[in-house]
Amino acid sequence: MGKATMFALNEICDVLDTYKGRDKVLRTLCYSAKLIGGLTSNPKFGQRMLAFSSQMSGTRAVLRLLDDLPMLKYNIEYGLGHNEPDTMMASLGVITNIIDQIYYPVEKMSWLLEHKLIDGNNGSKWDTASSVFWVASIYLSLMSNVRYVLLLQKHKKCQATTGNTVDALDRLLSKQKFEVLTCIRLTLDLVHAVNTLPKGYLWGEKLNTWQVGLVATTSSFLGLYQLFAKRQM
């Protein structure tokens, strides 16, 4: 086996050994199958693809049941965002972290009610609450990333005028391109998240199966690309 093949295999295995990497792969499989299921003209094959998509989505939901403590640890370490480039990003980061921390128990309640592990007939309310927190989190993350891209642009201009090395400018440009991709990915995620809201809220429930699949698959592939690109940066 060639060195290039072994390198690629090692990279893939290293990604699959991490929770984040495995989740991104599962997400890509989930929405790629949804896209195919929504586009195919073969009803039987389409049903199989949608069933596979549902199983991948369910797997991700089960794994998220364990995310509370890691999120709490991250929030404690993040604190008030003193390591962020400016106060606005720190404020957005703190608010986003609070929303994300609340999101997980809300999603747990929705999951428990959906699988009839607890009694109750208000599952739809918990689903809606979960979607609202998801939308808010993505929107604030997008605003934070847009702010970061603008700060990088300002920093790049300052470095250009002070005569910094070409390597330093190249690294800054690569970082900016990476964050622009993040903004595009988050925008796609926002489109997807809003669609999970009830009808009457923006474009809630207006996208059909293949449209959801297309938006989420594009976002998923961008996320995978960024995951591998970040390892090389």
Side-chain angles (χ1 to χ4, degrees):
M1 189 176 290
K3 290 183 178 180
T5 304
M6 278 303 302
F7 175 78
L9 181 61
N10 287 334
E11 285 290 299
I12 293 170
C13 289
D14 286 345
V15 166
L16 289 174
D17 277 339
T18 66
Y19 171 75
K20 182 181 290 187
R22 197 168 297 183
D23 180 69
K24 288 187 180 298
V25 171
L26 289 171
R27 188 181 195 270
T28 304
L29 291 173
C30 169
Y31 291 112
S32 297
K34 184 181 282 289
L35 175 60
I36 295 169
L39 288 175
T40 184
S41 58
N42 185 327
K44 187 174 182 180
F45 180 68
Q47 288 176 357
R48 288 176 176 174
M49 287 292 97
L50 293 178
F52 177 80
S53 174
S54 178
Q55 290 298 317
M56 295 298 98
S57 178
T59 301
R60 294 181 67 224
V62 170
L63 291 174
R64 283 198 302 272
L65 296 176
L66 307 175
D67 281 352
D68 299 76
L69 289 179
M71 188 71 223
L72 179 61
K73 178 177 179 291
Y74 171 79
N75 287 343
I76 292 172
E77 292 174 348
Y78 185 89
L80 297 177
H82 295 302
N83 292 326
E84 295 289 4
D86 71 353
T87 305
M88 180 182 291
M89 285 188 64
S91 300
L92 289 170
V94 170
I95 297 170
T96 303
N97 289 344
I98 293 171
I99 290 172
D100 289 343
Q101 192 68 61
I102 298 172
Y103 168 81
Y104 289 115
V106 170
E107 188 188 38
K108 278 186 179 61
M109 285 298 300
S110 176
W111 184 86
L112 290 168
L113 287 164
E114 177 188 353
H115 294 279
K116 300 185 182 349
L117 296 174
I118 59 174
D119 295 328
N121 56 2
N122 55 351
S124 61
K125 292 182 180 179
W126 287 101
D127 283 342
T128 300
S130 178
S131 294
V132 168
F133 282 117
W134 185 24
V135 169
S137 175
I138 293 174
Y139 177 77
L140 291 173
S141 296
L142 176 59
M143 292 301 100
S144 180
N145 269 86
V146 169
R147 174 67 177 173
Y148 191 32
V149 169
L150 294 175
L151 290 175
L152 287 173
Q153 179 65 21
K154 184 177 179 180
H155 187 45
K156 188 172 67 175
K157 289 180 179 179
C158 290
Q159 286 207 350
T161 56
T162 54
N164 278 31
T165 63
V166 175
D167 286 344
L169 288 172
D170 285 344
R171 285 195 298 271
L172 192 57
L173 182 61
S174 296
K175 180 65 175 174
Q176 188 179 35
K177 288 180 178 178
F178 185 89
E179 295 303 328
V180 169
L181 279 181
T182 301
C183 289
I184 295 172
R185 177 174 56 81
L186 288 171
T187 300
L188 292 169
D189 287 342
L190 184 62
V191 171
H192 179 199
V194 171
N195 186 66
T196 65
L197 294 172
K199 287 182 179 179
Y201 293 90
L202 299 175
W203 56 89
E205 298 185 11
K206 289 189 177 180
L207 302 182
N208 59 34
T209 301
W210 77 264
Q211 289 171 331
V212 171
L214 178 62
V215 169
T217 299
T218 305
S219 167
S220 298
F221 275 109
L222 279 176
L224 276 177
Y225 168 77
Q226 287 189 293
L227 187 64
F228 284 102
K230 195 172 184 178
R231 292 170 58 83
Q232 303 302 319
M233 288 176 64

